[in-house]
Amino acid sequence: MKRIDYSEKLSNYLYLPVAVLAMIAMIIPVYILFKVSVSSPQEIMTAHPSFLIKKFTLEHWKAIFKSGNLWAPLSKSFTVATMTTLIAIIIAAPAAYVIARMPSKAKYAVVLSLFLLRMFPEVAIALSISVQFLKWNLIDTNTGLVMAHLILNLPFAAWILVGTFETIPKGLEEAALVDGAGKVEALLKIIMPLAIPGIAVAAIFVWLNSWNEFTYALYLTMSKRTLPLQTYYYVVRGGWFDAATYGTILMIPVLMVTFLLQRYMKGGYLSGAVKG
Amino acid sequence: MILLKKYRLEIIMITPLLLYILGFTIYPIFKTVVMSFQHPYTGAFTLANYKEIIGKVEFKSALFNTVAFALISLTLEMIAAIVIALILKRRFKGRGLLRSLMLVPMGVPTLVSGVAMIYIFSMHGYLNELLYRLNIIQIPVDWAGGGLKTLLMVSVADMWKVTPMVILILLAGLESIPGEVYEASNIDGATAWQTFRYITLPLLKPSITMALILRGIDAFRVFELMLVLAGRATPVLSTFAYDEYNNYANAYSSAAASTILVVIIAVFIIGYLKITDSGEAR
């Protein structure tokens, strides 16, 4: 005779409701953000806000596009993210190739260090960087911000790219060398073209990291704000609708790319990587 | 020398990365640590900066809040992640949908998730409204008012953002457990709870440890969410350090607070290395 297994019964009855609850919980904050950005003030600024969008309005969006405050932060964020991505790939890709070809013990040590480098508290690094950049007149400049964003993204890009170069068989470059190609030639004509898909993925993640970056931007900015700082500026001022609209604009590219790249969102691979 | 010549190209290729890391990560951290021991005006070595911040009420509460936040958020995240990972192991209609919806929080910048949480947790926000409509509360709760309530609020906000990542780590661990183990326990007549307690949990331990350490480090560094949701009312070490530098223009006491944070993180990293070294994880 078998005992009645209450724990099994419980989990059989409960797993669906819990799953549904989890699904709802995962979209609610995004829905609320969007809802605030398209609701009239009477619907939000009240003791009892409504859960559904009752009166859809684009007034906050229009106001932001007309205000002239959007373009500068948007283009600054875009420029900095793009420059950071280009430089990060130019520096990290060759280095990652070398690391990938190291003997496995040394490689493990290097990859682990790259991974651990990302864990140091940003406030500790940003503090001396900020003090230094004040002397170098790099506060409020794109150059300064790109240099700061590289701190996070160089080790990150190298770390991802080591995996890409590892999958390219060593035999290919050896064959090219036997055929009389130089080391550099073999690298540029054989290896790099094969690595392009991996490099593209790394580039996109670097771009997003820089687009989202907040701490360094906060330390290195007086007046020329990036998009995250512009969002934060309205949070501090209590501008609910502006913050919601800027937040939505900031989120759109990230959300889109995340869904496009979902096959790369694996546990071990990105743990701590896309924390934004 | 011969080695240098043979690997000349390789050395050229890897040097820029190493130099950048040395110059812009290792050196700044080193400098912050040195600064924390220097007198603001004379530059002489002193413990005055540490004495100064330890004397501050805000610092004591920042230290307490940091540890409390890490404990609360890790507990919440782990429980939720284990439950959802176990659910995702079942085959049911809508499993694919749940898996893709898990990407939503990962596709929202941390700062933006903080903004969304403001609308949920403010006095006349959506959580209070929901509780009111369910007749649980009559008077709105001030979640950002400080104390345990505020820590709980930021923990829930953090949980929303990162639980999907923890789920993915645990799911990878669950999938590596061979099915025969479960068949055997089924034949032996183990209850679902016994199977979970004596089979799943021990075999999942490496993944759990890994997730705990990675998330632990992130929890101690929490910055944007605290700044946006709790502000100065509930400081943690990182927001305290920022406040000292930015609002009180005291780089040296900020350095002292940052150094304390660096030491805590270093302890975690050493723990992580010990565990990966002994082969418990991976």
Side-chain angles (χ1 to χ4, degrees), chain B residues 27-226:
Chain B
Y27 179 67
I29 290 178
F30 171 75
K31 222 181 142 195
T32 299
V33 175
V34 171
M35 253 169 88
S36 75
F37 290 106
Q38 277 178 327
H39 191 275
Y41 302 114
T42 61
F45 282 87
T46 165
L47 287 174
N49 302 316
Y50 287 94
K51 277 189 193 135
E52 190 195 324
I53 59 167
I54 288 170
K56 283 195 174 184
V57 188
E58 291 91 351
F59 177 75
K60 280 176 205 146
S61 79
L63 197 61
F64 171 80
N65 288 339
T66 308
V67 177
F69 169 75
L71 288 177
I72 298 173
S73 69
L74 283 181
T75 314
L76 290 179
E77 282 156 31
M78 283 301 151
I79 293 172
I82 290 176
V83 170
I84 299 179
L86 285 174
I87 289 177
L88 275 173
K89 242 193 95 192
R90 289 169 174 260
R91 317 221 156 269
F92 65 96
K93 245 189 179 171
R95 186 170 84 136
L97 184 66
L98 179 55
R99 255 180 188 259
S100 4
L101 283 181
M102 268 168 38
L103 287 171
V104 172
M106 289 158 77
V108 176
T110 313
L111 178 76
V112 178
S113 73
V115 175
M117 295 298 167
I118 294 177
Y119 309 129
I120 294 175
F121 287 105
S122 71
M123 274 289 250
H124 297 298
Y126 290 90
L127 179 63
N128 278 344
E129 180 61 14
L130 181 71
L131 294 176
Y132 173 80
R133 287 196 196 176
L134 294 175
N135 266 326
I136 297 172
I137 57 166
Q138 293 305 315
I139 306 154
V141 182
D142 182 10
W143 296 99
L148 212 57
K149 267 189 323 228
T150 306
L151 286 177
L152 196 65
M153 162 181 84
V154 185
S155 300
V156 171
D158 187 55
M159 177 181 169
W160 180 76
K161 175 80 182 102
V162 302
T163 303
M165 187 61 79
V166 183
I167 296 172
L168 289 185
I169 297 176
L170 296 186
L171 212 51
L174 276 178
E175 273 159 11
S176 69
I177 301 175
E180 297 96 59
V181 189
Y182 287 112
E183 278 166 34
S185 82
N186 204 12
I187 291 168
D188 290 343
T191 65
W193 172 252
Q194 284 167 335
T195 309
F196 172 72
R197 176 69 189 78
Y198 297 104
I199 294 180
T200 309
L201 214 50
L203 287 174
L204 203 56
K205 204 178 148 207
S207 309
I208 295 177
T209 322
M210 176 82 92
L212 268 179
I213 290 180
L214 291 177
R215 285 297 312 137
I217 291 172
D218 281 343
F220 274 95
R221 297 189 311 177
V222 63
F223 183 69
E224 288 134 289
L225 272 184
M226 271 295 174

Side-chain angles (χ1 to χ4, degrees), chain A residues 5-169:
Chain A
D5 182 357
Y6 290 107
S7 54
E8 171 143 23
K9 272 199 167 157
L10 202 68
S11 65
N12 280 343
Y13 280 120
L14 276 183
Y15 83 94
L16 260 184
V18 174
V20 171
L21 220 62
M23 286 187 218
I24 295 171
M26 278 168 195
I27 28 179
I28 272 192
V30 174
Y31 164 73
I32 300 261
L33 185 80
F34 178 70
K35 179 198 165 11
V36 172
S37 83
V38 296
S39 296
S40 63
Q42 299 92 302
E43 214 173 296
I44 307 291
M45 299 308 207
T46 149
H48 298 290
S50 64
F51 288 104
L52 298 173
I53 304 172
K54 284 195 175 147
K55 222 182 106 206
F56 184 90
T57 166
L58 284 176
E59 59 174 301
H60 313 297
W61 285 79
K62 277 186 196 148
I64 277 171
F65 277 100
K66 276 188 193 151
S67 69
N69 295 332
L70 173 69
W71 180 241
L74 191 73
S75 83
K76 176 157 187 165
S77 277
F78 187 83
T79 314
V80 168
T82 309
M83 274 163 58
T84 305
T85 307
L86 281 176
I87 300 173
I89 295 299
I90 290 172
I91 296 181
Y97 166 76
V98 175
I99 298 166
R101 291 292 183 259
M102 281 178 175
S104 62
K105 254 194 176 162
K107 184 168 67 186
Y108 176 71
V110 176
V111 169
L112 190 65
S113 330
L114 289 175
F115 178 65
L116 295 178
L117 267 174
R118 302 173 36 74
M119 299 188 168
F120 276 99
E122 279 153 18
V123 286
I125 306 175
L127 172 70
S128 15
I129 292 283
S130 170
V131 171
Q132 188 64 61
F133 281 16
L134 266 172
K135 288 185 201 149
W136 289 346
N137 271 328
L138 285 173
I139 301 288
D140 263 344
T141 62
N142 286 357
T143 319
L145 210 49
V146 170
M147 283 165 81
H149 285 185
L150 284 174
I151 295 171
L152 284 169
N153 283 307
L154 276 180
F156 172 63
W159 183 59
I160 298 193
L161 285 174
V162 169
T164 303
F165 286 114
E166 272 179 331
T167 59
I168 299 172

Side-chain angles (χ1 to χ4, degrees), chain A residues 87-269:
Chain A
I87 300 173
I89 295 299
I90 290 172
I91 296 181
Y97 166 76
V98 175
I99 298 166
R101 291 292 183 259
M102 281 178 175
S104 62
K105 254 194 176 162
K107 184 168 67 186
Y108 176 71
V110 176
V111 169
L112 190 65
S113 330
L114 289 175
F115 178 65
L116 295 178
L117 267 174
R118 302 173 36 74
M119 299 188 168
F120 276 99
E122 279 153 18
V123 286
I125 306 175
L127 172 70
S128 15
I129 292 283
S130 170
V131 171
Q132 188 64 61
F133 281 16
L134 266 172
K135 288 185 201 149
W136 289 346
N137 271 328
L138 285 173
I139 301 288
D140 263 344
T141 62
N142 286 357
T143 319
L145 210 49
V146 170
M147 283 165 81
H149 285 185
L150 284 174
I151 295 171
L152 284 169
N153 283 307
L154 276 180
F156 172 63
W159 183 59
I160 298 193
L161 285 174
V162 169
T164 303
F165 286 114
E166 272 179 331
T167 59
I168 299 172
K170 225 175 176 170
L172 279 176
E173 60 206 88
E174 276 158 10
L177 290 179
V178 170
D179 289 346
K183 254 186 180 178
V184 179
E185 204 183 344
L187 197 65
L188 286 178
K189 289 197 175 149
I190 313 280
I191 305 299
M192 287 302 170
L194 287 172
I196 290 229
I199 291 178
V201 171
I204 293 171
F205 279 128
V206 170
W207 195 88
L208 286 185
N209 280 343
S210 173
W211 176 259
N212 289 343
E213 209 285 326
F214 179 70
T215 313
Y216 287 104
L218 191 62
Y219 271 84
L220 298 176
T221 306
M222 304 265 204
S223 60
K224 291 181 180 147
R225 290 187 282 264
T226 60
L227 207 52
L229 288 184
Q230 187 76 350
T231 312
Y232 178 62
Y233 170 75
Y234 285 109
V235 169
V236 175
R237 284 186 33 169
W240 274 39
F241 299 102
D242 290 312
T245 314
Y246 277 105
T248 312
I249 297 173
L250 183 64
M251 174 181 70
I252 289 169
V254 192
L255 209 50
M256 273 168 33
V257 171
T258 310
F259 275 95
L260 287 176
L261 289 186
Q262 48 178 303
R263 67 197 181 93
Y264 296 97
M265 298 279 174
K266 285 185 197 120
Y269 184 49

Side-chain angles (χ1 to χ4, degrees), chain A residues 87-88 90-99 102 110 114 117 154-155 158, chain B residues 4 7-24 26:
Chain A
I87 300 173
I90 290 172
I91 296 181
Y97 166 76
V98 175
I99 298 166
M102 281 178 175
V110 176
L114 289 175
L117 267 174
L154 276 180
Chain B
L4 213 67
Y7 289 110
R8 202 175 59 186
L9 183 66
E10 278 81 356
I11 293 168
I12 294 173
M13 282 161 76
I14 204 170
T15 308
L17 177 73
L18 294 182
L19 285 182
Y20 206 92
I21 289 171
L22 269 176
F24 284 91
I26 312 285

